Amino acid sequence: MTDPVFDPDLLSRCISCGFCLPACPTYAATGDEASSPRGRINLMRALQNGDLDPYDPTLEEQASQCLGCRACEPVCPAGVEYGQLLEQWRDHQWKGRRQPLLARALMLAARMRHVFRPLGALRRTAAARPAAEGTPSAASLMLGCFERVLFPGVSRAARHLAPELVVPADQGCCGALHAHNGDTVAGERLARRLGEDLPGVIVTTSGGCAAHLASVLGSGRVRELSAYLAGRGVTGELRVDGRRATVALQDSCHLRNGLGVWKQPRELLGQVADYVELPSAATCCGAAGTYSLLRRRESRRILDARIEQIEAAGIDYVAAVNPGCLRQLRTGLRRARSRVKAVHIAELLAQAAGHRSP
């Protein structure tokens, strides 16, 4: 007998009530039951029971089409942990050569800490700052593998907001990219290694990384930056053309749905600017890790609707709490030739406090 694809306890929790359907972006876009969490779980059961060929085209399509946003989890009365089921599904569907080539290349690149360290230094990410000898560190700043190259100002801003954070130099990928793309074994291994490399509480400027690390190391060991700063608050004010700036937020799906962190960034932004809630701020922007690269057409459809909302809101800034979302929003705003700026929340808060990234 072959090993089951899914944890039977996780799979059995779904009672097919349908509460997840209105929360699911792909179901809203297609109206297809198979493109909903309930429909996908029925496909998982058919796979588990041997009622479908392991590489049935519908299984392949739906494992890929799902955004993995986990918006179905908070509304589920049975407590189905859909995110874990999706990871187990992709572990099976994306074995070996069936793994998307681009995802495989990105995962390989993310493991190359010997490459990211000099690239981060070249891009002037936050300078390494070890803990004082003989003094245990209460918290350390995680430098995202791709974030340190694409958005180096984010880590500098985080250090400005929380100067007590230590920044170990030799740190690698947290493994979130691997866990979401069919290699949970590597994802967990990388998370544990990072947990060994970073002393104290791990503070991260990436919502997706925070959720993954918390799932492996425990929620007590990990804090997303806005959650870390929430207790102390922030100072200063964002101003545009002599007036108080207007700011909206794009939630990180995994941060909101996986860790329940969504009030804190809104409260912090409201302390330095006039906060405006977008109608669909809590739903996926279409970035979804590698989704915007693997499923470009669906990702753009979601993003275009979001950009229309941002334009209609008449805001100055839209803040992101995840580098993938930041990249996605900047792409859409640039394409629309919008005057609205997409900025990471760390940089906005640091700007309000008078810090200017060089």
Side-chain angles (χ1 to χ4, degrees), residues 154 157-158 160-162 224-230 232-238 247 249 264-273 317 319-321 343-356:
V154 172
H160 178 81
L161 295 165
E224 182 271 333
L225 180 66
S226 65
Y228 180 76
L229 295 173
R232 70 176 76 177
V234 289
T235 59
E237 184 180 49
L238 276 174
V247 181
L249 177 74
Q264 297 93 322
R266 287 166 168 79
E267 291 171 353
L268 292 173
L269 290 171
Q271 291 172 23
V272 301
Y317 298 101
V321 287
V343 186
H344 193 281
I345 189 172
E347 293 184 290
L348 273 181
L349 297 178
Q351 181 181 329
H355 174 69
R356 290 289 187 273

Side-chain angles (χ1 to χ4, degrees), residues 3 20 25 36 89 104-105 118 140 164 173 183 196 205 214 246 285 293 302 318 324 346-348 354:
D3 292 333
C20 59
S36 71
W89 195 8
R104 197 184 318 164
S140 53
E164 74 280 4
C173 179
D183 194 351
E196 295 169 358
T205 50
T246 52
C285 65
L293 302 175
I302 295 169
V318 56
E347 293 184 290
L348 273 181

Side-chain angles (χ1 to χ4, degrees), residues 162-328:
E164 74 280 4
L165 293 175
V166 299
V167 188
D170 188 25
Q171 52 175 291
C173 179
C174 74
L177 180 66
H178 304 74
H180 301 157
N181 286 277
D183 194 351
T184 56
V185 172
E188 292 176 3
R189 183 172 64 249
L190 289 166
R192 292 192 185 96
R193 182 176 178 183
L194 189 65
E196 295 169 358
D197 291 341
L198 301 184
V201 171
I202 298 172
V203 178
T204 172
T205 50
S206 168
C209 297
H212 172 67
L213 281 171
S215 71
V216 179
L217 304 178
S219 58
R221 184 77 203 282
V222 182
R223 291 287 183 278
E224 182 271 333
L225 180 66
S226 65
Y228 180 76
L229 295 173
R232 70 176 76 177
V234 289
T235 59
E237 184 180 49
L238 276 174
R239 299 189 67 81
V240 174
D241 298 331
R243 58 174 173 79
R244 189 173 170 90
T246 52
V247 181
L249 177 74
Q250 170 59 53
D251 276 305
S252 158
C253 295
H254 280 208
L255 185 65
R256 182 182 180 112
N257 302 321
L259 288 182
V261 174
W262 58 277
K263 292 181 180 179
Q264 297 93 322
R266 287 166 168 79
E267 291 171 353
L268 292 173
L269 290 171
Q271 291 172 23
V272 301
D274 290 336
Y275 180 74
V276 176
E277 183 72 14
L278 296 174
S280 58
T283 61
C284 187
C285 65
T290 59
Y291 194 90
S292 62
L293 302 175
L294 301 177
R295 310 269 313 198
R296 291 177 180 271
R297 184 175 62 181
E298 292 96 329
S299 174
R300 178 163 179 173
R301 186 181 303 125
I302 295 169
L303 175 60
D304 286 348
R306 185 61 40 81
I307 297 302
E308 289 178 6
Q309 285 188 5
I310 291 172
E311 286 285 272
I315 56 177
D316 299 303
Y317 298 101
V318 56
V321 287
N322 193 68
C325 302
L326 180 57
R327 173 188 167 276
Q328 177 85 335

Side-chain angles (χ1 to χ4, degrees), residues 327-347:
R327 173 188 167 276
Q328 177 85 335
L329 291 170
R330 284 187 176 178
T331 298
L333 290 169
R334 184 167 54 248
R335 192 162 52 220
R337 297 182 180 179
S338 173
R339 67 169 188 83
V340 181
K341 296 179 180 179
V343 186
H344 193 281
I345 189 172
E347 293 184 290

Side-chain angles (χ1 to χ4, degrees), residues 121-135:
L122 183 65
R123 293 280 286 151
R124 300 183 66 187
T125 191
R129 179 177 177 268
E133 188 173 351
T135 304

